[in-house]
Amino acid sequence: MARKVILDVDTGGDDAIAIMTAALCPDLEVVGICTTWGNLPIENTTENTLRVVQLLGMDIPVARGASQAMVKTLFPGRLHNPYTPDFVMDENGNRIGYHDPYLPIPAATIKESDLCAVEFYIKALTESAEKITLIPVGPLTNLALAMRAKPSICEKIEQIVIMGGGHTQRNDTASAEFNIWCDPEAAQVVLTSGCDITIVPLDATHRTALTMDHARRFTEMHTPVGDLTAKLIEERITAYQLLQPANSTGELSTPIHDALAVCAVIDPSVLTEVLYTRVNVDMSGGYADGATIVDTREKQDQPKNCHFALDADIDKFADMLVNYLGRFGG
């Protein structure tokens, strides 16, 4: 029987690849997709998510979620980080970034759910006969609000696999990864929920960065899904070349962060070094705001609350993407 999952996305590029991977994997049943703010405003992330579902030709509910953080925006100056731009303009005036405002596929004609994301979580989890796995790959606002509104939904959650955080890797501030930094309070609510949690942080996703050679494997599929995946990888490699340094080998590449979280649900062995430990989130508003504090001490003073991945298998990851995305139309 396929494992039921709900994705929570802020669709951009890597989210799109994650959605397609989950939807095309026969071992998963995507019962719904919640959208949130993050990579882009909620209007864009919802439209982009609908575009992907429409491209797939699948009947998957899309529920619009939060447009801002639970608490963070109440504090002036706490949200904006002017030091890490996510796009630049080239000499020809073209926008080059990790996430274009809209995915380069037809505009959605399908409609979003009448339920908001919080309502969708509560209804789906409460009414499901079996437990559901959640894969949030953006800020954790929707899930935290749902847990606060109806704590009993935690009993119906099989597992939560989060893309976010970092131990030795960060990408938004000197101390924090973007998804967690966007809504630290929401992340702390989820991490202290008592659910079975795995975190797929930057430490792991940067070890599975894909190259132009990988992109060609998707181009060779000659399908709309393959073409979109290749284009998104290529665009992200260009953006990383301008906005972040090349990886340690000097080969141009890009992490496809969110898809690794989906693959970790399908086959946990794609994560190759995983700590079971205590992780908290800094909510101070200072230099460490949004940092994931990973307790690596042998003797810890708080209960362990999650599995935290430090490494992953790039070859297995790439092969999994080729396998599942290659099923489109087959």
Side-chain angles (χ1 to χ4, degrees), residues 47-307:
E47 166 65 17
N48 283 337
T49 303
L50 289 167
R51 289 186 183 197
V52 175
V53 173
Q54 179 176 272
L55 178 70
L56 293 168
M58 294 183 174
D59 183 17
I60 301 173
V62 174
R64 181 186 295 240
S67 62
Q68 59 182 312
M70 292 174 59
V71 175
K72 190 171 184 177
T73 53
L74 299 176
F75 297 88
R78 190 169 168 219
L79 185 62
H80 180 57
N81 175 20
Y83 304 110
T84 56
D86 61 359
F87 73 93
V88 295
M89 306 302 291
D90 68 12
E91 63 274 10
N92 298 317
N94 299 312
R95 183 187 190 276
I96 299 176
Y98 308 125
H99 308 282
D100 286 338
Y102 293 104
L103 293 172
I105 50 179
T109 58
I110 62 174
K111 303 300 181 184
E112 65 194 67
S113 171
D114 291 334
L115 300 177
C116 75
V118 173
E119 293 171 320
F120 184 85
Y121 269 129
I122 292 172
K123 179 177 173 62
L125 288 164
T126 301
E127 295 181 358
S128 177
E130 61 246 49
K131 291 186 176 183
I132 298 176
T133 293
L134 311 182
I135 314 175
V137 295
L140 291 160
T141 314
N142 293 329
L143 182 53
L145 289 170
M147 287 177 167
R148 284 294 197 240
K150 195 172 183 66
S152 62
I153 63 173
C154 293
E155 299 169 6
K156 299 297 288 290
I157 296 173
E158 180 75 25
Q159 184 185 21
I160 306 173
V161 179
I162 298 166
M163 190 280 119
H167 180 47
T168 62
Q169 292 277 353
R170 297 97 179 182
N171 66 357
D172 200 67
T173 70
S175 57
E177 177 273 334
F178 177 78
N179 287 343
I180 306 300
W181 178 82
C182 279
D183 198 340
E185 285 81 5
Q188 185 68 3
V189 167
V190 174
L191 285 176
T192 56
S193 65
C195 294
D196 179 357
I197 295 174
T198 293
I199 297 180
V200 181
L202 297 178
D203 306 74
T205 64
H206 277 256
R207 299 299 291 269
T208 55
L210 301 185
T211 66
M212 288 294 190
D213 285 340
H214 291 113
R216 280 189 282 274
R217 296 177 69 181
F218 299 103
T219 303
E220 291 166 358
M221 293 176 182
H222 302 293
T223 67
V225 163
D227 291 345
L228 176 60
T229 301
K231 182 176 178 61
L232 293 173
I233 293 170
E234 291 165 1
E235 288 179 347
R236 286 176 63 83
I237 288 174
T238 301
Y240 267 82
Q241 184 179 3
L242 291 173
L243 296 167
Q244 293 190 39
N247 65 22
S248 58
T249 67
E251 185 176 20
L252 298 179
S253 61
T254 179
I256 308 296
H257 307 285
D258 299 344
L260 182 60
V262 170
C263 288
V265 172
I266 300 168
D267 183 353
S269 70
V270 74
L271 306 177
T272 57
E273 184 180 350
V274 183
L275 299 176
Y276 181 50
T277 188
R278 180 76 187 192
V279 178
N280 289 307
V281 179
D282 188 280
M283 301 171 286
S284 65
Y287 290 118
D289 199 26
T292 42
I293 304 165
V294 182
D295 194 341
T296 58
R297 296 175 297 174
E298 183 174 343
K299 185 176 182 180
Q300 301 178 359
D301 52 11
Q302 288 184 291
K304 296 178 180 181
N305 63 346
C306 73
H307 296 85

